[in-house]
Amino acid sequence: MCGIAGLYTKLPALEAQLGAHLSRMLEQLSFRGPDSAGVAFYRDSAPEGWCKVSLYSAATNPDWDELAAELALAFGEVSLPHVRATHAVFVIDSDAERAQAWLSENHPELRLMSAGSSIEIYKQAGPPRDFIERFELEQMGGSHALGHTRMATESRVTTQHSHPFWTGLDLCLVHNGSLSNHNRLRRVLQREGIRFQTDNDSEVAAGYLTWRMREGATLEEALEGCMDDLDGFYTFAVGTADGFAVLRDPIACKPAVMAETDEWVAIASEYRAIAVLPGAEDAVLWEPEPGRVYSWGTAPVA
Amino acid sequence: MAAPDVTRDAIESFDLAADTVRELNRRLHDPAGPQRVRVLNPGGRHSIAVGLDGPREIEIEGHVGYYCAGMNKHATIRVRGNCGVGVAENMMSGAVIVEGSASQSAGATARGGLLVIHGDASARCGISLKGADIVVRGSVGHMSGFMAQKGAVVVCEDAGEALGDSLYEARLYVRRSVASLGADCVEKEMRAEHFEEVSALLARAEIDDADAADFRRFGSARNLYHFQVEHLGSY
């Protein structure tokens, strides 16, 4: 069991409250996933030609200012580090591929949580409430966000094993369920050059989406491919620069509820996480059908 | 003019924005508790009004979470909203009326009583049904009636894939399309007693815009669960 929450704002006025609302949703899903929690926020797009990276350090007192100085030397311009607990976000005058390559060569001790233009990923092992407080989630704004509470079944409880998993520029995946062919599929994907940080099954699903889209598939095609190539149970929510997409496996053992008002669109594992949103009592509610891709926002979902 | 009978008509309200589900259920289980209860702000909480054992009338004003009205005996429980997984699971008697839609496994293993869903029910509606009756005004999802043993499921719109897979002796009635039949489920003739049964269930469900004459019946071909001596070698 795990909990999934996603919220997409239709009104700019709601953007400042995104973190407050997502926090309340995650609290409602804490009992579905007490082991760890994580979020992906889409906000403050980097300027054209720049990229934004989220980094995690396991060190006690990481010197983010020193890293900013190194990045400035390597790339010319870089933002001040935006530090949240164990994570820091940098906006760099570089494309994401070059920044990523430089980071993995010069700072292999740091974990790249996400890269893109607007995505920021934060996650932490431990109770969701601690995560919400330590990362000051309630103060975060943004256009849309996905969150996850994890009850581990397939692999260890660590920050790296937590969701969301970054799957490509401005893309991430959260998963409720379990995959049974992940070891075999991971080896196949590794031969295709996809790299993994953990032995987690959901990370393999994220790697699968990355690989399919690298090979030219749209997000929708990549998600439809999951139904042929992944063996197991899943409700997936995928964050994109413009919105999010949702897929449940055809057997649909794992729950999902979607809701829409004039002000927002939400997905959650259970209605109780939607009930805390403003105007929920008047929302249009439905259960996404098994084996069908749903999406909000425009590109890249066809 | 006679004074109104306040004892009979009194409705006790329970606000789940302030009180816990456990307090509510304890009150509903109390033999000396109120006969009529209105539950406010259910907020999708789980296990609301489970395990009742008396002819109570419960009205729930909003959407509920998992297992609402589970194990119900004698009580009439009305949900003015949608239900999460497993509404009225293992109901023994009484009635559960859902004005919205229900998630999967509605009426699972229910042994008696009536479950009415005015919206749709998703996957596995009436799974392992053991004697209750279920009437769905909308459609049901895939694997509905899976291994259902006894009772009836009346679906006024469509049924999803694998209807009645591994069915025993429950009767399934569908008014519109059936995406596919599950293993050992076959269409059967609607005889007089079946029209009567559907008519009676629609009437009990207070659904008056569907005509029993438009329903088809599905049941077990009885090839899967009967021991047949000529198949001895393949067991």
mmCIF file of all heavy atoms in Angstrom, chain B residues 24-69:
data_model
loop_
_atom_site.group_PDB
_atom_site.id
_atom_site.type_symbol
_atom_site.label_atom_id
_atom_site.label_comp_id
_atom_site.label_asym_id
_atom_site.label_seq_id
_atom_site.Cartn_x
_atom_site.Cartn_y
_atom_site.Cartn_z
ATOM 1 N N LEU B 24 -18.712 7.130 16.687
ATOM 2 C CA LEU B 24 -19.967 6.935 15.951
ATOM 3 C C LEU B 24 -20.391 5.468 15.987
ATOM 4 O O LEU B 24 -21.528 5.145 16.339
ATOM 5 C CB LEU B 24 -19.791 7.385 14.486
ATOM 6 C CG LEU B 24 -20.903 6.945 13.531
ATOM 7 C CD1 LEU B 24 -22.201 7.694 13.824
ATOM 8 C CD2 LEU B 24 -20.502 7.152 12.072
ATOM 9 N N ASN B 25 -19.464 4.578 15.644
ATOM 10 C CA ASN B 25 -19.829 3.160 15.575
ATOM 11 C C ASN B 25 -20.206 2.612 16.953
ATOM 12 O O ASN B 25 -21.117 1.790 17.078
ATOM 13 C CB ASN B 25 -18.690 2.351 14.943
ATOM 14 C CG ASN B 25 -18.618 2.578 13.435
ATOM 15 O OD1 ASN B 25 -19.619 2.952 12.816
ATOM 16 N ND2 ASN B 25 -17.461 2.371 12.849
ATOM 17 N N ARG B 26 -19.519 3.091 17.983
ATOM 18 C CA ARG B 26 -19.859 2.650 19.338
ATOM 19 C C ARG B 26 -21.308 3.040 19.662
ATOM 20 O O ARG B 26 -22.069 2.264 20.210
ATOM 21 C CB ARG B 26 -18.888 3.289 20.334
ATOM 22 C CG ARG B 26 -18.889 2.647 21.704
ATOM 23 C CD ARG B 26 -17.797 3.240 22.579
ATOM 24 N NE ARG B 26 -16.465 2.822 22.160
ATOM 25 C CZ ARG B 26 -15.412 3.619 22.086
ATOM 26 N NH1 ARG B 26 -15.525 4.899 22.383
ATOM 27 N NH2 ARG B 26 -14.242 3.159 21.719
ATOM 28 N N ARG B 27 -21.684 4.237 19.278
ATOM 29 C CA ARG B 27 -23.042 4.736 19.505
ATOM 30 C C ARG B 27 -24.053 3.906 18.714
ATOM 31 O O ARG B 27 -25.128 3.581 19.197
ATOM 32 C CB ARG B 27 -23.094 6.214 19.069
ATOM 33 C CG ARG B 27 -24.365 6.925 19.399
ATOM 34 C CD ARG B 27 -24.352 7.441 20.816
ATOM 35 N NE ARG B 27 -25.596 8.149 21.085
ATOM 36 C CZ ARG B 27 -26.448 7.810 22.052
ATOM 37 N NH1 ARG B 27 -26.159 6.816 22.869
ATOM 38 N NH2 ARG B 27 -27.560 8.482 22.236
ATOM 39 N N LEU B 28 -23.664 3.560 17.486
ATOM 40 C CA LEU B 28 -24.580 2.786 16.641
ATOM 41 C C LEU B 28 -24.701 1.341 17.118
ATOM 42 O O LEU B 28 -25.686 0.664 16.828
ATOM 43 C CB LEU B 28 -24.113 2.811 15.177
ATOM 44 C CG LEU B 28 -24.061 4.188 14.495
ATOM 45 C CD1 LEU B 28 -23.554 4.065 13.066
ATOM 46 C CD2 LEU B 28 -25.431 4.855 14.506
ATOM 47 N N HIS B 29 -23.681 0.856 17.836
ATOM 48 C CA HIS B 29 -23.730 -0.521 18.344
ATOM 49 C C HIS B 29 -24.460 -0.608 19.680
ATOM 50 O O HIS B 29 -24.798 -1.696 20.129
ATOM 51 C CB HIS B 29 -22.301 -1.067 18.537
ATOM 52 C CG HIS B 29 -21.541 -1.188 17.251
ATOM 53 N ND1 HIS B 29 -20.180 -1.375 17.204
ATOM 54 C CD2 HIS B 29 -21.943 -1.147 15.962
ATOM 55 C CE1 HIS B 29 -19.790 -1.435 15.943
ATOM 56 N NE2 HIS B 29 -20.842 -1.298 15.171
ATOM 57 N N ASP B 30 -24.644 0.522 20.330
ATOM 58 C CA ASP B 30 -25.270 0.545 21.658
ATOM 59 C C ASP B 30 -26.746 0.140 21.537
ATOM 60 O O ASP B 30 -27.522 0.814 20.863
ATOM 61 C CB ASP B 30 -25.145 1.977 22.209
ATOM 62 C CG ASP B 30 -25.754 2.113 23.593
ATOM 63 O OD1 ASP B 30 -26.356 1.118 24.081
ATOM 64 O OD2 ASP B 30 -25.654 3.208 24.166
ATOM 65 N N PRO B 31 -27.147 -0.953 22.190
ATOM 66 C CA PRO B 31 -28.541 -1.391 22.072
ATOM 67 C C PRO B 31 -29.523 -0.300 22.503
ATOM 68 O O PRO B 31 -30.653 -0.259 22.010
ATOM 69 C CB PRO B 31 -28.625 -2.598 23.014
ATOM 70 C CG PRO B 31 -27.225 -3.047 23.193
ATOM 71 C CD PRO B 31 -26.363 -1.829 23.067
ATOM 72 N N ALA B 32 -29.095 0.587 23.418
ATOM 73 C CA ALA B 32 -29.985 1.662 23.867
ATOM 74 C C ALA B 32 -29.773 2.934 23.046
ATOM 75 O O ALA B 32 -30.290 3.990 23.385
ATOM 76 C CB ALA B 32 -29.726 1.949 25.344
ATOM 77 N N GLY B 33 -29.005 2.827 21.975
ATOM 78 C CA GLY B 33 -28.676 4.000 21.160
ATOM 79 C C GLY B 33 -29.842 4.460 20.308
ATOM 80 O O GLY B 33 -30.911 3.847 20.294
ATOM 81 N N PRO B 34 -29.663 5.556 19.583
ATOM 82 C CA PRO B 34 -30.743 6.160 18.805
ATOM 83 C C PRO B 34 -31.168 5.290 17.622
ATOM 84 O O PRO B 34 -30.349 4.580 17.050
ATOM 85 C CB PRO B 34 -30.111 7.461 18.311
ATOM 86 C CG PRO B 34 -28.646 7.183 18.297
ATOM 87 C CD PRO B 34 -28.383 6.244 19.414
ATOM 88 N N GLN B 35 -32.454 5.379 17.289
ATOM 89 C CA GLN B 35 -32.974 4.620 16.154
ATOM 90 C C GLN B 35 -32.626 5.281 14.834
ATOM 91 O O GLN B 35 -32.459 4.616 13.832
ATOM 92 C CB GLN B 35 -34.497 4.471 16.265
ATOM 93 C CG GLN B 35 -34.931 3.549 17.383
ATOM 94 C CD GLN B 35 -34.321 2.160 17.233
ATOM 95 O OE1 GLN B 35 -34.564 1.469 16.265
ATOM 96 N NE2 GLN B 35 -33.488 1.778 18.199
ATOM 97 N N ARG B 36 -32.563 6.609 14.850
ATOM 98 C CA ARG B 36 -32.283 7.322 13.605
ATOM 99 C C ARG B 36 -31.072 8.220 13.807
ATOM 100 O O ARG B 36 -31.014 9.001 14.760
ATOM 101 C CB ARG B 36 -33.501 8.159 13.187
ATOM 102 C CG ARG B 36 -34.724 7.308 12.906
ATOM 103 C CD ARG B 36 -35.880 8.168 12.424
ATOM 104 N NE ARG B 36 -35.596 8.751 11.119
ATOM 105 C CZ ARG B 36 -36.339 9.716 10.567
ATOM 106 N NH1 ARG B 36 -37.381 10.213 11.209
ATOM 107 N NH2 ARG B 36 -36.029 10.187 9.377
ATOM 108 N N VAL B 37 -30.132 8.100 12.907
ATOM 109 C CA VAL B 37 -28.897 8.883 13.042
ATOM 110 C C VAL B 37 -28.538 9.497 11.692
ATOM 111 O O VAL B 37 -28.618 8.835 10.655
ATOM 112 C CB VAL B 37 -27.732 7.992 13.536
ATOM 113 C CG1 VAL B 37 -26.414 8.757 13.507
ATOM 114 C CG2 VAL B 37 -28.013 7.485 14.943
ATOM 115 N N ARG B 38 -28.164 10.753 11.740
ATOM 116 C CA ARG B 38 -27.673 11.414 10.533
ATOM 117 C C ARG B 38 -26.191 11.690 10.739
ATOM 118 O O ARG B 38 -25.796 12.264 11.752
ATOM 119 C CB ARG B 38 -28.435 12.715 10.297
ATOM 120 C CG ARG B 38 -27.942 13.502 9.094
ATOM 121 C CD ARG B 38 -28.856 14.661 8.782
ATOM 122 N NE ARG B 38 -30.144 14.178 8.308
ATOM 123 C CZ ARG B 38 -31.302 14.810 8.534
ATOM 124 N NH1 ARG B 38 -31.327 15.919 9.242
ATOM 125 N NH2 ARG B 38 -32.423 14.321 8.060
ATOM 126 N N VAL B 39 -25.375 11.252 9.770
ATOM 127 C CA VAL B 39 -23.927 11.426 9.879
ATOM 128 C C VAL B 39 -23.510 12.555 8.939
ATOM 129 O O VAL B 39 -23.747 12.486 7.734
ATOM 130 C CB VAL B 39 -23.191 10.123 9.513
ATOM 131 C CG1 VAL B 39 -21.680 10.317 9.619
ATOM 132 C CG2 VAL B 39 -23.661 8.982 10.408
ATOM 133 N N LEU B 40 -22.892 13.582 9.519
ATOM 134 C CA LEU B 40 -22.460 14.739 8.735
ATOM 135 C C LEU B 40 -20.938 14.700 8.508
ATOM 136 O O LEU B 40 -20.215 14.122 9.311
ATOM 137 C CB LEU B 40 -22.829 16.032 9.467
ATOM 138 C CG LEU B 40 -24.307 16.164 9.846
ATOM 139 C CD1 LEU B 40 -24.515 17.373 10.749
ATOM 140 C CD2 LEU B 40 -25.184 16.256 8.613
ATOM 141 N N ASN B 41 -20.500 15.321 7.431
ATOM 142 C CA ASN B 41 -19.074 15.440 7.107
ATOM 143 C C ASN B 41 -18.308 14.110 7.150
ATOM 144 O O ASN B 41 -17.291 14.007 7.845
ATOM 145 C CB ASN B 41 -18.401 16.449 8.051
ATOM 146 C CG ASN B 41 -19.001 17.832 7.900
ATOM 147 O OD1 ASN B 41 -19.091 18.355 6.790
ATOM 148 N ND2 ASN B 41 -19.452 18.410 9.002
ATOM 149 N N PRO B 42 -18.785 13.109 6.434
ATOM 150 C CA PRO B 42 -18.057 11.829 6.453
ATOM 151 C C PRO B 42 -16.644 11.947 5.872
ATOM 152 O O PRO B 42 -15.748 11.214 6.296
ATOM 153 C CB PRO B 42 -18.927 10.900 5.596
ATOM 154 C CG PRO B 42 -19.751 11.814 4.741
ATOM 155 C CD PRO B 42 -19.978 13.055 5.562
ATOM 156 N N GLY B 43 -16.442 12.869 4.917
ATOM 157 C CA GLY B 43 -15.086 13.180 4.447
ATOM 158 C C GLY B 43 -14.296 11.997 3.913
ATOM 159 O O GLY B 43 -13.072 11.987 4.010
ATOM 160 N N GLY B 44 -14.972 10.985 3.391
ATOM 161 C CA GLY B 44 -14.256 9.837 2.829
ATOM 162 C C GLY B 44 -13.639 8.926 3.872
ATOM 163 O O GLY B 44 -12.770 8.113 3.552
ATOM 164 N N ARG B 45 -14.072 9.044 5.135
ATOM 165 C CA ARG B 45 -13.471 8.195 6.180
ATOM 166 C C ARG B 45 -13.908 6.739 6.013
ATOM 167 O O ARG B 45 -14.993 6.457 5.517
ATOM 168 C CB ARG B 45 -13.869 8.703 7.568
ATOM 169 C CG ARG B 45 -13.164 10.000 7.932
ATOM 170 C CD ARG B 45 -13.683 10.545 9.255
ATOM 171 N NE ARG B 45 -13.043 11.797 9.603
ATOM 172 C CZ ARG B 45 -13.393 12.981 9.084
ATOM 173 N NH1 ARG B 45 -14.393 13.059 8.208
ATOM 174 N NH2 ARG B 45 -12.759 14.082 9.435
ATOM 175 N N HIS B 46 -13.041 5.844 6.471
ATOM 176 C CA HIS B 46 -13.301 4.410 6.322
ATOM 177 C C HIS B 46 -14.195 3.881 7.451
ATOM 178 O O HIS B 46 -14.279 4.472 8.521
ATOM 179 C CB HIS B 46 -11.985 3.629 6.371
ATOM 180 C CG HIS B 46 -11.060 3.978 5.244
ATOM 181 N ND1 HIS B 46 -9.792 3.502 5.166
ATOM 182 C CD2 HIS B 46 -11.230 4.749 4.152
ATOM 183 C CE1 HIS B 46 -9.208 3.968 4.076
ATOM 184 N NE2 HIS B 46 -10.058 4.733 3.457
ATOM 185 N N SER B 47 -14.822 2.725 7.171
ATOM 186 C CA SER B 47 -15.515 1.939 8.198
ATOM 187 C C SER B 47 -16.626 2.700 8.910
ATOM 188 O O SER B 47 -16.843 2.513 10.109
ATOM 189 C CB SER B 47 -14.523 1.398 9.228
ATOM 190 O OG SER B 47 -13.477 0.722 8.571
ATOM 191 N N ILE B 48 -17.336 3.549 8.183
ATOM 192 C CA ILE B 48 -18.454 4.271 8.790
ATOM 193 C C ILE B 48 -19.670 3.338 8.848
ATOM 194 O O ILE B 48 -19.999 2.673 7.871
ATOM 195 C CB ILE B 48 -18.787 5.540 7.970
ATOM 196 C CG1 ILE B 48 -17.643 6.548 8.090
ATOM 197 C CG2 ILE B 48 -20.116 6.159 8.396
ATOM 198 C CD1 ILE B 48 -17.814 7.786 7.221
ATOM 199 N N ALA B 49 -20.318 3.295 10.006
ATOM 200 C CA ALA B 49 -21.533 2.494 10.214
ATOM 201 C C ALA B 49 -21.322 1.026 9.860
ATOM 202 O O ALA B 49 -22.111 0.434 9.134
ATOM 203 C CB ALA B 49 -22.702 3.085 9.414
ATOM 204 N N VAL B 50 -20.263 0.438 10.392
ATOM 205 C CA VAL B 50 -20.043 -0.999 10.187
ATOM 206 C C VAL B 50 -20.565 -1.784 11.386
ATOM 207 O O VAL B 50 -20.618 -1.284 12.504
ATOM 208 C CB VAL B 50 -18.552 -1.359 9.975
ATOM 209 C CG1 VAL B 50 -18.017 -0.731 8.704
ATOM 210 C CG2 VAL B 50 -17.716 -0.934 11.168
ATOM 211 N N GLY B 51 -20.956 -3.009 11.114
ATOM 212 C CA GLY B 51 -21.316 -3.938 12.181
ATOM 213 C C GLY B 51 -22.602 -3.596 12.918
ATOM 214 O O GLY B 51 -22.768 -3.957 14.088
ATOM 215 N N LEU B 52 -23.532 -2.924 12.268
ATOM 216 C CA LEU B 52 -24.802 -2.628 12.941
ATOM 217 C C LEU B 52 -25.633 -3.897 13.093
ATOM 218 O O LEU B 52 -25.582 -4.792 12.257
ATOM 219 C CB LEU B 52 -25.596 -1.569 12.161
ATOM 220 C CG LEU B 52 -25.276 -0.135 12.617
ATOM 221 C CD1 LEU B 52 -23.866 0.241 12.243
ATOM 222 C CD2 LEU B 52 -26.269 0.851 12.018
ATOM 223 N N ASP B 53 -26.391 -3.940 14.189
ATOM 224 C CA ASP B 53 -27.183 -5.139 14.465
ATOM 225 C C ASP B 53 -28.521 -4.733 15.059
ATOM 226 O O ASP B 53 -28.820 -5.009 16.217
ATOM 227 C CB ASP B 53 -26.402 -6.049 15.417
ATOM 228 C CG ASP B 53 -27.086 -7.391 15.617
ATOM 229 O OD1 ASP B 53 -28.107 -7.643 14.929
ATOM 230 O OD2 ASP B 53 -26.619 -8.175 16.450
ATOM 231 N N GLY B 54 -29.302 -4.022 14.275
ATOM 232 C CA GLY B 54 -30.618 -3.600 14.754
ATOM 233 C C GLY B 54 -31.296 -2.787 13.673
ATOM 234 O O GLY B 54 -30.632 -2.278 12.769
ATOM 235 N N PRO B 55 -32.614 -2.632 13.752
ATOM 236 C CA PRO B 55 -33.355 -1.950 12.686
ATOM 237 C C PRO B 55 -33.208 -0.430 12.757
ATOM 238 O O PRO B 55 -34.183 0.298 12.872
ATOM 239 C CB PRO B 55 -34.797 -2.400 12.934
ATOM 240 C CG PRO B 55 -34.856 -2.633 14.404
ATOM 241 C CD PRO B 55 -33.492 -3.114 14.821
ATOM 242 N N ARG B 56 -31.982 0.051 12.685
ATOM 243 C CA ARG B 56 -31.710 1.492 12.727
ATOM 244 C C ARG B 56 -31.858 2.091 11.340
ATOM 245 O O ARG B 56 -31.757 1.399 10.335
ATOM 246 C CB ARG B 56 -30.279 1.745 13.209
ATOM 247 C CG ARG B 56 -29.902 1.026 14.481
ATOM 248 C CD ARG B 56 -30.439 1.784 15.677
ATOM 249 N NE ARG B 56 -30.365 1.012 16.907
ATOM 250 C CZ ARG B 56 -29.296 0.945 17.694
ATOM 251 N NH1 ARG B 56 -28.199 1.569 17.366
ATOM 252 N NH2 ARG B 56 -29.307 0.248 18.801
ATOM 253 N N GLU B 57 -32.030 3.416 11.323
ATOM 254 C CA GLU B 57 -32.010 4.127 10.047
ATOM 255 C C GLU B 57 -30.870 5.130 10.090
ATOM 256 O O GLU B 57 -30.863 6.030 10.929
ATOM 257 C CB GLU B 57 -33.327 4.866 9.822
ATOM 258 C CG GLU B 57 -34.477 3.941 9.492
ATOM 259 C CD GLU B 57 -35.775 4.713 9.350
ATOM 260 O OE1 GLU B 57 -35.769 5.777 8.705
ATOM 261 O OE2 GLU B 57 -36.770 4.255 9.923
ATOM 262 N N ILE B 58 -29.924 4.961 9.182
ATOM 263 C CA ILE B 58 -28.742 5.821 9.178
ATOM 264 C C ILE B 58 -28.685 6.570 7.849
ATOM 265 O O ILE B 58 -28.815 5.963 6.779
ATOM 266 C CB ILE B 58 -27.449 4.986 9.322
ATOM 267 C CG1 ILE B 58 -27.589 3.903 10.401
ATOM 268 C CG2 ILE B 58 -26.247 5.892 9.555
ATOM 269 C CD1 ILE B 58 -27.831 4.404 11.786
ATOM 270 N N GLU B 59 -28.489 7.869 7.935
ATOM 271 C CA GLU B 59 -28.324 8.662 6.718
ATOM 272 C C GLU B 59 -26.945 9.311 6.775
ATOM 273 O O GLU B 59 -26.614 9.977 7.753
ATOM 274 C CB GLU B 59 -29.398 9.750 6.632
ATOM 275 C CG GLU B 59 -30.799 9.177 6.520
ATOM 276 C CD GLU B 59 -31.871 10.249 6.621
ATOM 277 O OE1 GLU B 59 -31.566 11.421 6.345
ATOM 278 O OE2 GLU B 59 -32.989 9.899 6.992
ATOM 279 N N ILE B 60 -26.173 9.123 5.719
ATOM 280 C CA ILE B 60 -24.814 9.679 5.690
ATOM 281 C C ILE B 60 -24.773 10.753 4.610
ATOM 282 O O ILE B 60 -25.020 10.471 3.437
ATOM 283 C CB ILE B 60 -23.780 8.566 5.416
ATOM 284 C CG1 ILE B 60 -23.911 7.472 6.484
ATOM 285 C CG2 ILE B 60 -22.375 9.150 5.392
ATOM 286 C CD1 ILE B 60 -23.156 6.209 6.169
ATOM 287 N N GLU B 61 -24.457 11.966 5.038
ATOM 288 C CA GLU B 61 -24.549 13.117 4.127
ATOM 289 C C GLU B 61 -23.198 13.419 3.494
ATOM 290 O O GLU B 61 -22.486 14.329 3.923
ATOM 291 C CB GLU B 61 -25.052 14.345 4.896
ATOM 292 C CG GLU B 61 -26.342 14.123 5.668
ATOM 293 C CD GLU B 61 -27.553 13.994 4.758
ATOM 294 O OE1 GLU B 61 -27.485 14.382 3.579
ATOM 295 O OE2 GLU B 61 -28.579 13.487 5.245
ATOM 296 N N GLY B 62 -22.810 12.644 2.480
ATOM 297 C CA GLY B 62 -21.553 12.915 1.784
ATOM 298 C C GLY B 62 -20.864 11.624 1.375
ATOM 299 O O GLY B 62 -21.424 10.529 1.503
ATOM 300 N N HIS B 63 -19.610 11.773 0.912
ATOM 301 C CA HIS B 63 -18.857 10.626 0.394
ATOM 302 C C HIS B 63 -18.179 9.861 1.530
ATOM 303 O O HIS B 63 -17.662 10.462 2.461
ATOM 304 C CB HIS B 63 -17.790 11.089 -0.592
ATOM 305 C CG HIS B 63 -18.326 11.971 -1.681
ATOM 306 N ND1 HIS B 63 -19.381 11.605 -2.489
ATOM 307 C CD2 HIS B 63 -17.959 13.213 -2.095
ATOM 308 C CE1 HIS B 63 -19.626 12.576 -3.358
ATOM 309 N NE2 HIS B 63 -18.796 13.567 -3.130
ATOM 310 N N VAL B 64 -18.169 8.552 1.417
ATOM 311 C CA VAL B 64 -17.539 7.723 2.449
ATOM 312 C C VAL B 64 -16.359 6.949 1.863
ATOM 313 O O VAL B 64 -16.264 6.767 0.653
ATOM 314 C CB VAL B 64 -18.553 6.734 3.076
ATOM 315 C CG1 VAL B 64 -19.667 7.490 3.773
ATOM 316 C CG2 VAL B 64 -19.111 5.778 2.027
ATOM 317 N N GLY B 65 -15.486 6.448 2.726
ATOM 318 C CA GLY B 65 -14.307 5.690 2.305
ATOM 319 C C GLY B 65 -14.613 4.207 2.200
ATOM 320 O O GLY B 65 -15.691 3.814 1.750
ATOM 321 N N TYR B 66 -13.656 3.386 2.678
ATOM 322 C CA TYR B 66 -13.759 1.937 2.494
ATOM 323 C C TYR B 66 -14.729 1.298 3.500
ATOM 324 O O TYR B 66 -14.878 1.736 4.630
ATOM 325 C CB TYR B 66 -12.385 1.297 2.707
ATOM 326 C CG TYR B 66 -11.352 1.628 1.646
ATOM 327 C CD1 TYR B 66 -11.585 2.583 0.663
ATOM 328 C CD2 TYR B 66 -10.130 0.969 1.654
ATOM 329 C CE1 TYR B 66 -10.628 2.868 -0.298
ATOM 330 C CE2 TYR B 66 -9.162 1.248 0.695
ATOM 331 C CZ TYR B 66 -9.414 2.200 -0.277
ATOM 332 O OH TYR B 66 -8.453 2.470 -1.215
ATOM 333 N N TYR B 67 -15.328 0.197 3.067
ATOM 334 C CA TYR B 67 -16.058 -0.746 3.938
ATOM 335 C C TYR B 67 -17.255 -0.141 4.660
ATOM 336 O O TYR B 67 -17.655 -0.636 5.721
ATOM 337 C CB TYR B 67 -15.115 -1.401 4.960
ATOM 338 C CG TYR B 67 -13.834 -1.896 4.332
ATOM 339 C CD1 TYR B 67 -12.582 -1.523 4.801
ATOM 340 C CD2 TYR B 67 -13.894 -2.730 3.220
ATOM 341 C CE1 TYR B 67 -11.419 -1.959 4.185
ATOM 342 C CE2 TYR B 67 -12.735 -3.167 2.595
ATOM 343 C CZ TYR B 67 -11.508 -2.784 3.088
ATOM 344 O OH TYR B 67 -10.369 -3.201 2.483
ATOM 345 N N CYS B 68 -17.841 0.918 4.099
ATOM 346 C CA CYS B 68 -19.017 1.513 4.749
ATOM 347 C C CYS B 68 -20.122 0.471 4.830
ATOM 348 O O CYS B 68 -20.352 -0.283 3.887
ATOM 349 C CB CYS B 68 -19.482 2.720 3.923
ATOM 350 S SG CYS B 68 -20.926 3.520 4.616
ATOM 351 N N ALA B 69 -20.820 0.429 5.964
ATOM 352 C CA ALA B 69 -21.974 -0.450 6.170
ATOM 353 C C ALA B 69 -21.610 -1.932 6.096
ATOM 354 O O ALA B 69 -22.478 -2.775 5.895
ATOM 355 C CB ALA B 69 -23.094 -0.143 5.170
#
